[in-house]
């Protein structure tokens, strides 16, 4: 029986709530202003509940041989779902987590502490500012999952930001981001166009209904300078409990069409989700 009780705290970035899952003894849902942000099971750190986190996990599983330790930079912390996943599936990895909401970091450290020896270091800072000061060629993987409420902040959408990400990644490094959009996909196309100017290979992972414009939803962008194991990634995403499609090559170029990279001067946040798109309860 789960005897844990909900926790609520007002931080600089909104009202943060931790709610226990009645079906899993030490599992918690984190929300910020009612929008689900993270789900963690402290007993099973390799369990990924949300659709988009499962897709990010598939990318992390296929960027290197199973079990190989990686240097991973996470922009956006939440409840540290993916850092916990990497620590469990790739022991010995060195991970940095950058989260702007210091109150959230304190709440997670207090109620959902990381296990000893996890190899994860947290920093309370703005993601773009921290990235600009980070050493070059220092990360194997950069995971961007930053939302202000339910929108990706404008300063994390430009080609100048993408250039900083490319600088911090090693030559064979992989950038992976959780984004959100709906038809006609102006935001998503601009993101793909921007990263394509800096990385030779780009991939998009999303649920077919989202790609067909039937609903607003999450999409995972992957960008790298080396060929990805797209067949392996496609197999994993297609076989998932929440099947998704992997778009790449000519089909992805057709999707991007004539979209242009977004510059800092013109950057705007990702679209406001329709009412109820990500909310709960």
């Amino acid at each position: 029986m789960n005897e844990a009780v909900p926790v609520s705290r007002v931080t600089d970035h909104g009202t943060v709530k931790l709610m226990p899952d009645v079906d899993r003894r030490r599992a918690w849902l984190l929300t910020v202003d009612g929008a689900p942000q993270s789900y963690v099971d402290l007993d099973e750190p390799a369990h990924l509940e949300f659709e988009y986190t499962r897709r990010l996990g598939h990318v992390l599983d296929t960027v290197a041989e199973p079990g190989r330790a990686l240097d991973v930079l996470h922009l956006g912390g939440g409840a540290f779902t993916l850092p916990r996943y990497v620590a469990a599936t790739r022991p010995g990895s060195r991970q940095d987590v950058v989260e702007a909401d210091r109150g959230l970091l304190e709440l997670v450290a207090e109620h959902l502490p990381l296990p000893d020896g996890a190899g994860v270091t947290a920093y309370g800072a703005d993601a773009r500012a921290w990235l600009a000061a980070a050493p070059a060629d220092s990360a194997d993987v950069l995971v961007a999952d930053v939302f202000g409420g339910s929108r990706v902040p404008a300063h994390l959408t430009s080609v100048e930001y993408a250039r900083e990400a490319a600088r911090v990644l090693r030559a064979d490094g992989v950038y992976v981001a959780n984004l959100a959009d709906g038809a006609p996909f102006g935001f998503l196309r601009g993101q793909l166009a921007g990263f394509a100017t800096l990385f030779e290979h780009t991939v998009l992972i999303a649920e077919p209904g989202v790609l067909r414009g039937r609903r607003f939803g999450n999409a995972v962008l992957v960008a790298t300078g080396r060929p990805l194991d797209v067949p392996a990634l496609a197999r994993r995403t297609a076989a998932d409990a929440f099947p998704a499609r992997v778009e790449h090559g000519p089909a992805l170029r057709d999707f991007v069409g004539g979209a242009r990279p977004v510059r800092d001067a013109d950057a705007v946040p990702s679209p406001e989700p329709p009412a109820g798109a990500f909310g709960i309860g």
Side-chain angles (χ1 to χ4, degrees):
M1 180 177 178
N2 194 341
E3 298 178 351
V5 296
V7 177
S8 180
R9 187 173 298 175
V10 176
T11 69
D12 291 341
H13 292 247
T15 300
V16 179
K17 292 184 179 180
L18 280 175
M19 293 177 283
D21 186 338
V22 296
D23 296 319
R24 301 175 74 95
R25 192 176 70 86
R26 296 182 70 218
W28 296 82
L29 172 68
L30 169 73
T31 67
V32 178
D33 290 337
Q37 295 286 341
S38 300
Y39 180 101
V40 296
D41 187 329
L42 300 181
D43 289 332
E44 295 185 48
H47 172 77
L48 300 177
E49 182 78 8
F50 293 167
E51 295 179 31
Y52 83 86
T53 56
R54 295 172 70 88
R55 289 161 195 159
L56 293 170
H58 294 319
V59 175
L60 290 165
D61 289 343
T62 53
V63 295
E65 58 269 23
R68 177 186 146 197
L70 298 171
D71 292 335
V72 185
L73 169 59
H74 301 264
L75 302 182
F80 288 42
T81 302
L82 287 168
R84 296 172 201 268
Y85 180 82
V86 171
T89 59
R90 297 183 177 276
S93 293
R94 180 185 63 82
Q95 302 186 80
D96 291 331
V97 180
V98 183
E99 170 58 56
D101 191 337
R102 294 174 184 269
L104 173 58
L105 286 178
E106 293 170 1
L107 183 69
V108 171
E110 181 181 346
H111 292 278
L112 307 175
L114 289 159
D116 292 338
V120 178
T121 305
Y123 300 90
D126 173 78
R128 175 84 177 261
W130 197 94
L131 191 66
D137 305 319
S138 58
D140 297 310
V141 183
L142 195 166
V143 181
D145 187 12
V146 183
F147 280 76
S150 297
R151 306 177 74 183
V152 179
H155 69 304
L156 303 181
T157 68
S158 68
V159 71
E160 290 92 342
Y161 157 75
R163 188 174 296 116
E164 288 290 352
R167 181 187 64 82
V168 170
L169 282 166
R170 295 182 176 126
D172 61 349
V174 178
Y175 178 89
V176 54
N178 174 37
L179 305 173
D181 200 2
F185 302 112
F187 172 75
L188 202 51
R189 294 178 203 268
Q191 295 305 290
L192 287 159
F195 277 87
T197 66
L198 294 157
F199 295 90
E200 185 177 355
H201 303 276
T202 54
V203 167
L204 185 68
I205 309 168
E207 191 267 324
V210 172
L211 289 173
R212 295 189 186 110
R214 293 177 180 170
R215 67 180 183 87
F216 189 98
N218 293 94
V220 170
L221 181 156
V222 187
T224 179
R226 62 174 169 88
L228 285 166
D229 190 346
V230 173
L233 186 58
R235 286 193 299 270
R236 286 175 178 267
T237 57
D240 194 272
F242 306 101
R245 207 164 75 208
V246 176
E247 294 286 5
H248 65 103
L252 188 58
R253 287 192 290 272
D254 288 346
F255 177 84
V256 175
R260 295 184 177 184
V262 177
R263 302 287 175 178
D264 273 337
D266 306 311
V268 296
S270 63
E272 185 76 44
F278 297 134
I280 60 169

